[in-house]
PDB file of all heavy atoms in Angstrom:
ATOM      1  N   THR G   1      -6.092  10.479 -19.686  1.00 98.00           N
ATOM      2  CA  THR G   1      -5.649  11.841 -19.341  1.00 98.00           C
ATOM      3  C   THR G   1      -6.629  12.907 -19.839  1.00 98.00           C
ATOM      4  O   THR G   1      -6.953  13.855 -19.113  1.00 98.00           O
ATOM      5  CB  THR G   1      -4.253  12.102 -19.932  1.00 98.00           C
ATOM      6  OG1 THR G   1      -3.331  11.153 -19.381  1.00 98.00           O
ATOM      7  CG2 THR G   1      -3.774  13.516 -19.613  1.00 98.00           C
ATOM      8  N   ALA G   2      -7.102  12.753 -21.071  1.00 98.00           N
ATOM      9  CA  ALA G   2      -7.996  13.769 -21.653  1.00 98.00           C
ATOM     10  C   ALA G   2      -9.225  13.996 -20.792  1.00 98.00           C
ATOM     11  O   ALA G   2      -9.680  15.141 -20.620  1.00 98.00           O
ATOM     12  CB  ALA G   2      -8.414  13.347 -23.058  1.00 98.00           C
ATOM     13  N   TYR G   3      -9.772  12.919 -20.236  1.00 98.00           N
ATOM     14  CA  TYR G   3     -11.010  13.026 -19.469  1.00 98.00           C
ATOM     15  C   TYR G   3     -10.744  13.338 -18.001  1.00 98.00           C
ATOM     16  O   TYR G   3     -11.576  13.975 -17.340  1.00 98.00           O
ATOM     17  CB  TYR G   3     -11.859  11.768 -19.679  1.00 98.00           C
ATOM     18  CG  TYR G   3     -12.217  11.663 -21.145  1.00 98.00           C
ATOM     19  CD1 TYR G   3     -11.451  10.874 -22.008  1.00 98.00           C
ATOM     20  CD2 TYR G   3     -13.241  12.425 -21.689  1.00 98.00           C
ATOM     21  CE1 TYR G   3     -11.725  10.828 -23.368  1.00 98.00           C
ATOM     22  CE2 TYR G   3     -13.523  12.382 -23.050  1.00 98.00           C
ATOM     23  CZ  TYR G   3     -12.764  11.586 -23.881  1.00 98.00           C
ATOM     24  OH  TYR G   3     -13.037  11.568 -25.231  1.00 98.00           O
ATOM     25  N   LYS G   4      -9.579  12.944 -17.500  1.00 98.00           N
ATOM     26  CA  LYS G   4      -9.154  13.424 -16.178  1.00 98.00           C
ATOM     27  C   LYS G   4      -9.057  14.949 -16.198  1.00 98.00           C
ATOM     28  O   LYS G   4      -9.469  15.629 -15.259  1.00 98.00           O
ATOM     29  CB  LYS G   4      -7.799  12.829 -15.797  1.00 98.00           C
ATOM     30  CG  LYS G   4      -7.810  11.354 -15.460  1.00 98.00           C
ATOM     31  CD  LYS G   4      -6.392  10.880 -15.136  1.00 98.00           C
ATOM     32  CE  LYS G   4      -6.319   9.398 -14.868  1.00 98.00           C
ATOM     33  NZ  LYS G   4      -4.923   8.947 -14.618  1.00 98.00           N
ATOM     34  N   ASN G   5      -8.493  15.465 -17.297  1.00 98.00           N
ATOM     35  CA  ASN G   5      -8.335  16.915 -17.418  1.00 98.00           C
ATOM     36  C   ASN G   5      -9.667  17.650 -17.532  1.00 98.00           C
ATOM     37  O   ASN G   5      -9.737  18.859 -17.285  1.00 98.00           O
ATOM     38  CB  ASN G   5      -7.458  17.251 -18.631  1.00 98.00           C
ATOM     39  CG  ASN G   5      -6.005  16.856 -18.422  1.00 98.00           C
ATOM     40  OD1 ASN G   5      -5.566  16.625 -17.299  1.00 98.00           O
ATOM     41  ND2 ASN G   5      -5.247  16.768 -19.509  1.00 98.00           N
ATOM     42  N   LEU G   6     -10.711  16.917 -17.916  1.00 98.00           N
ATOM     43  CA  LEU G   6     -12.054  17.509 -17.959  1.00 98.00           C
ATOM     44  C   LEU G   6     -12.765  17.403 -16.613  1.00 98.00           C
ATOM     45  O   LEU G   6     -13.908  17.856 -16.474  1.00 98.00           O
ATOM     46  CB  LEU G   6     -12.896  16.825 -19.039  1.00 98.00           C
ATOM     47  CG  LEU G   6     -12.505  17.115 -20.495  1.00 98.00           C
ATOM     48  CD1 LEU G   6     -13.323  16.251 -21.446  1.00 98.00           C
ATOM     49  CD2 LEU G   6     -12.681  18.589 -20.824  1.00 98.00           C
ATOM     50  N   GLY G   7     -12.096  16.791 -15.627  1.00 98.00           N
ATOM     51  CA  GLY G   7     -12.648  16.734 -14.278  1.00 98.00           C
ATOM     52  C   GLY G   7     -13.276  15.412 -13.887  1.00 98.00           C
ATOM     53  O   GLY G   7     -13.834  15.288 -12.795  1.00 98.00           O
ATOM     54  N   PHE G   8     -13.175  14.397 -14.747  1.00 98.00           N
ATOM     55  CA  PHE G   8     -13.773  13.105 -14.422  1.00 98.00           C
ATOM     56  C   PHE G   8     -12.818  12.275 -13.567  1.00 98.00           C
ATOM     57  O   PHE G   8     -11.611  12.281 -13.786  1.00 98.00           O
ATOM     58  CB  PHE G   8     -14.141  12.342 -15.694  1.00 98.00           C
ATOM     59  CG  PHE G   8     -15.192  13.035 -16.518  1.00 98.00           C
ATOM     60  CD1 PHE G   8     -14.850  13.700 -17.686  1.00 98.00           C
ATOM     61  CD2 PHE G   8     -16.518  13.043 -16.108  1.00 98.00           C
ATOM     62  CE1 PHE G   8     -15.817  14.349 -18.441  1.00 98.00           C
ATOM     63  CE2 PHE G   8     -17.493  13.688 -16.860  1.00 98.00           C
ATOM     64  CZ  PHE G   8     -17.144  14.347 -18.024  1.00 98.00           C
ATOM     65  N   ASP G   9     -13.381  11.548 -12.594  1.00 98.00           N
ATOM     66  CA  ASP G   9     -12.597  10.743 -11.650  1.00 98.00           C
ATOM     67  C   ASP G   9     -13.137   9.318 -11.672  1.00 98.00           C
ATOM     68  O   ASP G   9     -14.338   9.099 -11.492  1.00 98.00           O
ATOM     69  CB  ASP G   9     -12.729  11.336 -10.240  1.00 98.00           C
ATOM     70  CG  ASP G   9     -11.785  10.687  -9.234  1.00 98.00           C
ATOM     71  OD1 ASP G   9     -11.442   9.505  -9.411  1.00 98.00           O
ATOM     72  OD2 ASP G   9     -11.410  11.361  -8.257  1.00 98.00           O
ATOM     73  N   ILE G  10     -12.265   8.344 -11.880  1.00 98.00           N
ATOM     74  CA  ILE G  10     -12.684   6.941 -11.984  1.00 98.00           C
ATOM     75  C   ILE G  10     -13.393   6.468 -10.714  1.00 98.00           C
ATOM     76  O   ILE G  10     -14.210   5.527 -10.767  1.00 98.00           O
ATOM     77  CB  ILE G  10     -11.479   6.030 -12.325  1.00 98.00           C
ATOM     78  CG1 ILE G  10     -11.957   4.628 -12.751  1.00 98.00           C
ATOM     79  CG2 ILE G  10     -10.514   5.974 -11.161  1.00 98.00           C
ATOM     80  CD1 ILE G  10     -12.816   4.592 -13.975  1.00 98.00           C
ATOM     81  N   LYS G  11     -13.136   7.096  -9.583  1.00 98.00           N
ATOM     82  CA  LYS G  11     -13.805   6.712  -8.333  1.00 98.00           C
ATOM     83  C   LYS G  11     -15.320   6.879  -8.423  1.00 98.00           C
ATOM     84  O   LYS G  11     -16.064   6.222  -7.691  1.00 98.00           O
ATOM     85  CB  LYS G  11     -13.263   7.546  -7.173  1.00 98.00           C
ATOM     86  CG  LYS G  11     -11.816   7.240  -6.818  1.00 98.00           C
ATOM     87  CD  LYS G  11     -11.318   8.159  -5.710  1.00 98.00           C
ATOM     88  CE  LYS G  11      -9.840   7.919  -5.404  1.00 98.00           C
ATOM     89  NZ  LYS G  11      -9.319   8.885  -4.395  1.00 98.00           N
ATOM     90  N   ASP G  12     -15.754   7.737  -9.330  1.00 98.00           N
ATOM     91  CA  ASP G  12     -17.193   7.959  -9.504  1.00 98.00           C
ATOM     92  C   ASP G  12     -17.828   6.932 -10.438  1.00 98.00           C
ATOM     93  O   ASP G  12     -19.047   6.969 -10.657  1.00 98.00           O
ATOM     94  CB  ASP G  12     -17.442   9.367 -10.055  1.00 98.00           C
ATOM     95  CG  ASP G  12     -16.965  10.457  -9.109  1.00 98.00           C
ATOM     96  OD1 ASP G  12     -17.107  10.273  -7.880  1.00 98.00           O
ATOM     97  OD2 ASP G  12     -16.437  11.483  -9.597  1.00 98.00           O
ATOM     98  N   TYR G  13     -17.005   6.020 -10.973  1.00 98.00           N
ATOM     99  CA  TYR G  13     -17.498   5.035 -11.949  1.00 98.00           C
ATOM    100  C   TYR G  13     -16.996   3.640 -11.555  1.00 98.00           C
ATOM    101  O   TYR G  13     -16.267   2.990 -12.319  1.00 98.00           O
ATOM    102  CB  TYR G  13     -17.042   5.427 -13.356  1.00 98.00           C
ATOM    103  CG  TYR G  13     -17.410   6.848 -13.689  1.00 98.00           C
ATOM    104  CD1 TYR G  13     -16.520   7.902 -13.440  1.00 98.00           C
ATOM    105  CD2 TYR G  13     -18.668   7.152 -14.210  1.00 98.00           C
ATOM    106  CE1 TYR G  13     -16.877   9.215 -13.703  1.00 98.00           C
ATOM    107  CE2 TYR G  13     -19.029   8.475 -14.470  1.00 98.00           C
ATOM    108  CZ  TYR G  13     -18.132   9.499 -14.217  1.00 98.00           C
ATOM    109  OH  TYR G  13     -18.494  10.800 -14.470  1.00 98.00           O
ATOM    110  N   PRO G  14     -17.381   3.167 -10.371  1.00 98.00           N
ATOM    111  CA  PRO G  14     -16.830   1.898  -9.856  1.00 98.00           C
ATOM    112  C   PRO G  14     -17.195   0.686 -10.706  1.00 98.00           C
ATOM    113  O   PRO G  14     -16.393  -0.254 -10.814  1.00 98.00           O
ATOM    114  CB  PRO G  14     -17.441   1.791  -8.448  1.00 98.00           C
ATOM    115  CG  PRO G  14     -18.687   2.642  -8.498  1.00 98.00           C
ATOM    116  CD  PRO G  14     -18.346   3.766  -9.430  1.00 98.00           C
ATOM    117  N   ASN G  15     -18.375   0.682 -11.296  1.00 98.00           N
ATOM    118  CA  ASN G  15     -18.771  -0.476 -12.105  1.00 98.00           C
ATOM    119  C   ASN G  15     -17.930  -0.570 -13.375  1.00 98.00           C
ATOM    120  O   ASN G  15     -17.542  -1.670 -13.803  1.00 98.00           O
ATOM    121  CB  ASN G  15     -20.254  -0.397 -12.466  1.00 98.00           C
ATOM    122  CG  ASN G  15     -21.154  -0.514 -11.253  1.00 98.00           C
ATOM    123  OD1 ASN G  15     -20.758  -1.053 -10.225  1.00 98.00           O
ATOM    124  ND2 ASN G  15     -22.363   0.010 -11.347  1.00 98.00           N
ATOM    125  N   ALA G  16     -17.663   0.578 -13.985  1.00 98.00           N
ATOM    126  CA  ALA G  16     -16.821   0.595 -15.186  1.00 98.00           C
ATOM    127  C   ALA G  16     -15.418   0.087 -14.853  1.00 98.00           C
ATOM    128  O   ALA G  16     -14.840  -0.713 -15.602  1.00 98.00           O
ATOM    129  CB  ALA G  16     -16.754   2.001 -15.765  1.00 98.00           C
ATOM    130  N   TYR G  17     -14.881   0.521 -13.721  1.00 98.00           N
ATOM    131  CA  TYR G  17     -13.532   0.089 -13.362  1.00 98.00           C
ATOM    132  C   TYR G  17     -13.497  -1.411 -13.072  1.00 98.00           C
ATOM    133  O   TYR G  17     -12.563  -2.113 -13.485  1.00 98.00           O
ATOM    134  CB  TYR G  17     -13.005   0.856 -12.143  1.00 98.00           C
ATOM    135  CG  TYR G  17     -11.569   0.510 -11.850  1.00 98.00           C
ATOM    136  CD1 TYR G  17     -10.542   1.055 -12.623  1.00 98.00           C
ATOM    137  CD2 TYR G  17     -11.229  -0.408 -10.863  1.00 98.00           C
ATOM    138  CE1 TYR G  17      -9.217   0.715 -12.401  1.00 98.00           C
ATOM    139  CE2 TYR G  17      -9.915  -0.767 -10.630  1.00 98.00           C
ATOM    140  CZ  TYR G  17      -8.907  -0.206 -11.407  1.00 98.00           C
ATOM    141  OH  TYR G  17      -7.598  -0.549 -11.194  1.00 98.00           O
ATOM    142  N   ALA G  18     -14.523  -1.921 -12.397  1.00 97.00           N
ATOM    143  CA  ALA G  18     -14.568  -3.347 -12.072  1.00 97.00           C
ATOM    144  C   ALA G  18     -14.631  -4.202 -13.347  1.00 97.00           C
ATOM    145  O   ALA G  18     -14.010  -5.268 -13.418  1.00 97.00           O
ATOM    146  CB  ALA G  18     -15.767  -3.643 -11.182  1.00 97.00           C
ATOM    147  N   LEU G  19     -15.365  -3.736 -14.354  1.00 97.00           N
ATOM    148  CA  LEU G  19     -15.436  -4.462 -15.629  1.00 97.00           C
ATOM    149  C   LEU G  19     -14.093  -4.455 -16.341  1.00 97.00           C
ATOM    150  O   LEU G  19     -13.689  -5.447 -16.958  1.00 97.00           O
ATOM    151  CB  LEU G  19     -16.500  -3.844 -16.527  1.00 97.00           C
ATOM    152  CG  LEU G  19     -17.963  -4.118 -16.173  1.00 97.00           C
ATOM    153  CD1 LEU G  19     -18.883  -3.244 -17.014  1.00 97.00           C
ATOM    154  CD2 LEU G  19     -18.298  -5.587 -16.388  1.00 97.00           C
ATOM    155  N   PHE G  20     -13.410  -3.339 -16.262  1.00 98.00           N
ATOM    156  CA  PHE G  20     -12.130  -3.180 -16.949  1.00 98.00           C
ATOM    157  C   PHE G  20     -11.037  -4.051 -16.335  1.00 98.00           C
ATOM    158  O   PHE G  20     -10.199  -4.622 -17.041  1.00 98.00           O
ATOM    159  CB  PHE G  20     -11.718  -1.705 -16.896  1.00 98.00           C
ATOM    160  CG  PHE G  20     -10.247  -1.443 -17.047  1.00 98.00           C
ATOM    161  CD1 PHE G  20      -9.619  -1.594 -18.266  1.00 98.00           C
ATOM    162  CD2 PHE G  20      -9.484  -1.044 -15.944  1.00 98.00           C
ATOM    163  CE1 PHE G  20      -8.253  -1.348 -18.401  1.00 98.00           C
ATOM    164  CE2 PHE G  20      -8.132  -0.804 -16.070  1.00 98.00           C
ATOM    165  CZ  PHE G  20      -7.509  -0.960 -17.300  1.00 98.00           C
ATOM    166  N   GLU G  21     -11.062  -4.198 -15.022  1.00 97.00           N
ATOM    167  CA  GLU G  21      -9.928  -4.772 -14.295  1.00 97.00           C
ATOM    168  C   GLU G  21      -9.610  -6.206 -14.706  1.00 97.00           C
ATOM    169  O   GLU G  21      -8.444  -6.607 -14.718  1.00 97.00           O
ATOM    170  CB  GLU G  21     -10.197  -4.703 -12.788  1.00 97.00           C
ATOM    171  CG  GLU G  21      -8.956  -4.928 -11.960  1.00 97.00           C
ATOM    172  CD  GLU G  21      -9.176  -4.626 -10.492  1.00 97.00           C
ATOM    173  OE1 GLU G  21     -10.319  -4.746 -10.018  1.00 97.00           O
ATOM    174  OE2 GLU G  21      -8.197  -4.280  -9.813  1.00 97.00           O
ATOM    175  N   ASN G  22     -10.635  -6.994 -15.057  1.00 96.00           N
ATOM    176  CA  ASN G  22     -10.349  -8.388 -15.409  1.00 96.00           C
ATOM    177  C   ASN G  22     -10.821  -8.731 -16.824  1.00 96.00           C
ATOM    178  O   ASN G  22     -11.127  -9.879 -17.132  1.00 96.00           O
ATOM    179  CB  ASN G  22     -10.963  -9.351 -14.391  1.00 96.00           C
ATOM    180  CG  ASN G  22     -12.478  -9.236 -14.292  1.00 96.00           C
ATOM    181  OD1 ASN G  22     -13.076  -8.339 -14.881  1.00 96.00           O
ATOM    182  ND2 ASN G  22     -13.097 -10.136 -13.541  1.00 96.00           N
ATOM    183  N   ALA G  23     -10.863  -7.718 -17.700  1.00 97.00           N
ATOM    184  CA  ALA G  23     -11.341  -7.911 -19.070  1.00 97.00           C
ATOM    185  C   ALA G  23     -10.211  -8.335 -20.003  1.00 97.00           C
ATOM    186  O   ALA G  23      -9.106  -7.789 -19.949  1.00 97.00           O
ATOM    187  CB  ALA G  23     -11.968  -6.620 -19.585  1.00 97.00           C
ATOM    188  N   ILE G  24     -10.514  -9.312 -20.838  1.00 98.00           N
ATOM    189  CA  ILE G  24      -9.597  -9.744 -21.910  1.00 98.00           C
ATOM    190  C   ILE G  24     -10.432  -9.973 -23.164  1.00 98.00           C
ATOM    191  O   ILE G  24     -11.431 -10.693 -23.124  1.00 98.00           O
ATOM    192  CB  ILE G  24      -8.857 -11.051 -21.561  1.00 98.00           C
ATOM    193  CG1 ILE G  24      -8.044 -10.906 -20.269  1.00 98.00           C
ATOM    194  CG2 ILE G  24      -7.942 -11.471 -22.722  1.00 98.00           C
ATOM    195  CD1 ILE G  24      -7.419 -12.208 -19.784  1.00 98.00           C
TER     196      ILE G  24
END
């Protein structure tokens, strides 16, 4: 939320999201 409120959108960081999605 803090960084969404600063204007950042996860759509602009597809590699970061892909790493997160299946990380354990």
